[in-house]
Amino acid sequence: MIYTITFNPAIDCVMRVDDLAFGRINRAASQEFFFGGKGVNVSYVLSHLGRTSTAWGFIAGWTGAALEAALQEDGIPTGFIRLPAGNTRINAKLKGTVTGGDSSEETAVNAAGPVIDEASLQRFFSQLDQVRPGDFVILSGGIPKGTPKDIYARVMRELEGRDVRVVVDATQDVLMLSLPYRPFLVKPNDEELAEITGCDPLDEQALADGARMLQERGAQNVLVSRGGHGSLLLDAAGRLQFAPVIAGTLVNSVGAGDSTVAGFVEGFLRGTEAGLPETQVYDEAYKLAQACGSATAFSPGLAPAELVNELLARLES
Ligand SMILES: O=P(O)(O)OC[C@@]1(O)O[C@H](CO)[C@@H](O)[C@@H]1O
């Protein structure tokens, strides 16, 4: 089983606004709602690829109830802990031109989200008893204010010795503190890696050094997404590869990184299930990761299966 864990899920309100300016009323040309948060997005992309995962994490209030109902309606099993107070956050994602500018940009305002109380955290830790050998646990996204920065590390400590592969998609201390527990995959983007290494901007050499540092500290596979510049993978077999971006038109970058994570996990499972040798398994995982990330970037929503397959075929040709 794959469990995605989103400590701070969100309803993403995506609005197209042209000539955006502070200090006045801006009118949106379009508005769409997506049920998200990083782990939830991973669950959605996995389901597009035909793989079942269970979405865990914390929800609150009417927004949380709406998110849970939507996932269930979309066939994604859930096991969220309901917090006693607050509401699951609504994140504003604005796309369009800013006054004075001529190119379209993406601006996000991510809300803080509800506080996770101690009793709910305890319930969550009891839930981890359900995780079995061979399972994947994907810890994705930011944590609400007041949640200890070593929370992902604590989850991993709890799962230690159970033959569980853990993926960590987090930033700064939350990521760094998880490394001694040997996460199967970490996926910082280049900006996050720059924050960690203190080296900005990162050229290819600095990116490679940063990835090696994360591996030396414990990560098994390190996948660094670089937006329009492609990505790099330092795999568990010690091979470093840079991949250029797949050609296409950017429609939406929200969730592209999460789609990359989903693709890597699904590709790893497909390769393993097919009995491929280790290095080929990572090659398959990396290709599907790229195809899924780009399929989301080129679509209004998350990685449609048809486009994923089309891009994968392009990478394989
Ligand atoms: O605040 P976090 O948890 O870092 O990021 C949350 C978020 O921006 O990540 C997803 C895209 O990756 C969105 O669905 C969501 O709004």
Side-chain angles (χ1 to χ4, degrees):
M1 175 49 79
I2 302 175
Y3 297 96
T4 62
I5 300 181
T6 316
F7 271 67
N8 204 355
I11 296 178
D12 292 330
C13 174
V14 180
M15 286 184 279
R16 165 124 218 132
V17 189
D18 283 313
D19 202 16
L20 177 69
F22 276 105
R24 69 160 205 225
I25 294 176
N26 295 278
R27 303 277 174 194
S30 67
Q31 180 194 40
E32 273 181 290
F33 292 99
F34 295 93
F35 294 97
K38 291 188 168 30
V40 168
N41 291 339
V42 173
S43 276
Y44 266 111
V45 175
L46 286 171
S47 86
H48 295 176
L49 300 174
R51 181 78 58 177
T52 302
S53 67
T54 299
W56 281 357
F58 299 87
I59 53 170
W62 62 272
T63 43
L67 181 133
E68 186 178 42
L71 263 80
Q72 288 173 359
E73 223 169 86
D74 291 332
I76 296 173
T78 62
F80 289 109
I81 307 286
R82 285 163 191 251
L83 298 170
N87 276 297
T88 289
R89 61 190 171 151
I90 297 179
N91 288 345
K93 311 284 181 184
L94 309 176
K95 289 161 197 268
T97 55
V98 177
T99 297
D102 50 10
S103 60
S104 186
E105 293 182 61
E106 294 183 347
T107 303
V109 184
N110 285 3
V115 170
I116 301 176
D117 61 296
E118 196 46 44
S120 300
L121 206 53
Q122 290 302 328
R123 284 175 60 207
F124 166 75
F125 273 96
S126 309
Q127 198 178 29
L128 292 176
D129 290 346
Q130 295 172 37
V131 179
R132 297 277 167 265
D135 286 349
F136 266 89
V137 168
I138 301 175
L139 293 160
S140 247
I143 54 172
K145 254 196 200 138
T147 307
K149 293 214 178 341
D150 68 347
I151 195 68
Y152 284 6
R154 282 202 224 169
V155 171
M156 293 178 77
R157 195 182 315 144
E158 190 70 25
L159 297 173
E160 232 182 354
R162 281 204 238 169
D163 187 24
V164 173
R165 290 193 173 87
V166 181
V167 176
V168 174
D169 186 2
T171 56
Q172 305 233 9
D173 292 352
V174 180
L175 168 65
M176 295 309 284
L177 290 166
S178 78
L179 296 180
Y181 298 94
R182 310 220 60 239
F184 168 74
L185 172 70
V186 298
K187 196 222 57 68
N189 62 34
D190 48 0
E191 282 173 22
E192 289 160 356
L193 192 59
E195 274 169 12
I196 290 168
T197 58
C199 247
D200 193 11
L202 289 177
D203 58 16
E204 290 205 344
Q205 185 58 50
L207 279 168
D209 291 346
R212 282 206 186 87
M213 181 272 289
L214 295 179
Q215 199 175 57
E216 274 156 21
R217 300 237 186 145
Q220 297 178 46
N221 294 282
V222 181
L223 205 170
V224 184
S225 48
R226 305 172 65 204
H229 300 289
S231 61
L232 82 86
L233 173 68
L234 176 60
D235 70 22
R239 296 174 314 151
L240 178 77
Q241 358 176 7
F242 283 88
V245 72
I246 302 178
T249 306
L250 176 71
V251 176
N252 153 52
S253 72
V254 179
D258 313 328
S259 308
T260 303
V261 168
F264 192 89
V265 170
E266 174 62 18
F268 176 84
L269 286 170
R270 285 183 191 177
T272 309
E273 285 160 5
L276 298 180
E278 190 195 16
T279 51
Q280 268 183 49
V281 169
Y282 290 126
D283 290 344
E284 292 305 304
Y286 192 26
K287 270 188 259 171
L288 194 54
Q290 293 170 58
C292 289
S294 298
T296 289
F298 303 158
S299 312
L302 293 168
E306 244 178 55
L307 184 55
V308 171
N309 291 334
E310 190 189 314
L311 297 178
L312 189 60
R314 251 203 254 173
L315 288 174
E316 278 167 349
S317 66

